Amino acid sequence: MTQFVKAVLFDLDGTLIDTAADFVRIISKMSRENDWQAPPEADIREQVSAGASAMVQLMLRHNDQLEVSEAELLDFRQQFLDDYEAEICVDSCVFNELEAVLTALEEKNVPWGIVTNKPRYLAEQLLKKMQLDERCAVLICPDDVSRSKPDPEPMYMALEKLAIPRGAAGCVLYVGDHIRDIEAGNAAGMPTILAAYGYIPPEDQKNLKKWNADYITNTPEELNRLLLSSGKFEYL
C-alpha cells in the first residue's frame, strides 16, 4: 500500500548528519589536556545520541575518574560544549546518499525539516556551516518546547510550523536513530523510520524491533532506497 507523504522530518545527529568525528576529536582533546587516555572512537560514537553529559561521563569512566562531583561534571560538560561550538563542523558531513534524498524532496516541492534534542544555538550553527539552514523548512529544538522527545510536543510544533493539521500527521515521516525518536513520532501519529546505522549502543541493537518503528533501515543507502525508489511512498 502506498503512503502519501506531505513532509519528511529527521533527527539530526546520527540520522541526517554524521557528527561523531567532531565529538571524537573533542573528547580526545579533553583527554590529552587532563593526561588521560581517550575512550575508543566506537565507544564515543555510541554515546553521541545520549548527549554531551554521556560522552563526558564515558571519558571519566574510561579513566577511572569515579569520584567527580556534580559541579566538576558540569564544568567538564560546559568545556565540551564550548570546544564543540568553537569548532562545530570540522569533520561532520551529511550521511552518504542522504544529500540525494534532500535534493529529491526539494525537487518534488516536499518540505523536509529537523526535530532534534540538540540545543538550538548549536543546531543552527551546524546547519549554517553545512549550508543546510536555508533549505531546512523547519527546525525544532528543546528550547522551543516545554517537553522534548520522547514527548510528541516537538512533533506537533513541527506540524504547526509546516501548516499541516495534526489529523494529517500520518502523511509526515519521521526518521531517527534513538528510541525517543521513534516513541515521539509514534505518539504523534507519524510513520516512523529507524536509522539503525546511527549512534546505537550494541546492547540496544538486539532490541530494535521492540522500538516499534514502521520501518528499519540499516544503512543510509537503505534509507535512500526506501524513501525514493521502494514505491512505498508517494509525495504530494
Side-chain angles (χ1 to χ4, degrees), residues 10-13 114-118 123 139-142 149 174:
F10 299 91
D11 177 49
L12 191 53
D13 299 85
I114 293 167
V115 181
T116 177
N117 277 2
K118 197 184 195 80
L139 170 64
I140 305 298
C141 300
K149 297 179 296 181
Y174 186 58

Side-chain angles (χ1 to χ4, degrees), residues 89-169:
C89 188
V90 175
D91 299 306
S92 295
C93 60
V94 176
F95 276 104
N96 185 39
E97 300 290 340
L98 297 193
E99 173 59 42
V101 170
L102 301 183
T103 299
L105 293 174
E106 290 163 357
E107 289 174 349
K108 298 174 185 293
N109 293 315
V110 174
W112 63 267
I114 293 167
V115 181
T116 177
N117 277 2
K118 197 184 195 80
R120 175 168 283 277
Y121 80 101
L122 293 175
E124 287 182 339
Q125 290 182 61
L126 178 61
L127 293 179
K128 186 173 182 178
K129 284 275 189 180
M130 302 195 73
Q131 299 183 325
L132 294 173
D133 54 321
E134 294 186 2
R135 299 170 61 186
C136 178
V138 61
L139 170 64
I140 305 298
C141 300
D143 321 47
D144 304 317
V145 294
S146 58
R147 296 178 300 277
S148 299
K149 297 179 296 181
D151 193 274
E153 183 183 350
M155 321 308 290
Y156 293 143
M157 179 171 285
L159 292 175
E160 181 181 345
K161 297 289 186 183
L162 292 169
I164 296 175
R166 289 191 187 186

Side-chain angles (χ1 to χ4, degrees), residues 41-82:
E41 178 177 342
D43 292 354
I44 299 172
R45 289 183 66 91
E46 291 165 4
Q47 295 300 317
V48 170
S49 287
S53 294
M55 286 181 274
V56 166
Q57 288 170 335
L58 170 66
M59 176 184 69
L60 295 173
R61 287 196 307 274
H62 187 71
N63 290 279
D64 296 322
Q65 302 296 314
L66 306 178
E67 304 299 326
V68 174
S69 69
E70 188 68 24
E72 289 173 313
L73 178 60
L74 289 174
D75 285 344
F76 278 120
R77 180 181 183 275
Q78 191 58 53
Q79 181 190 345
F80 176 94
L81 292 173
D82 290 344

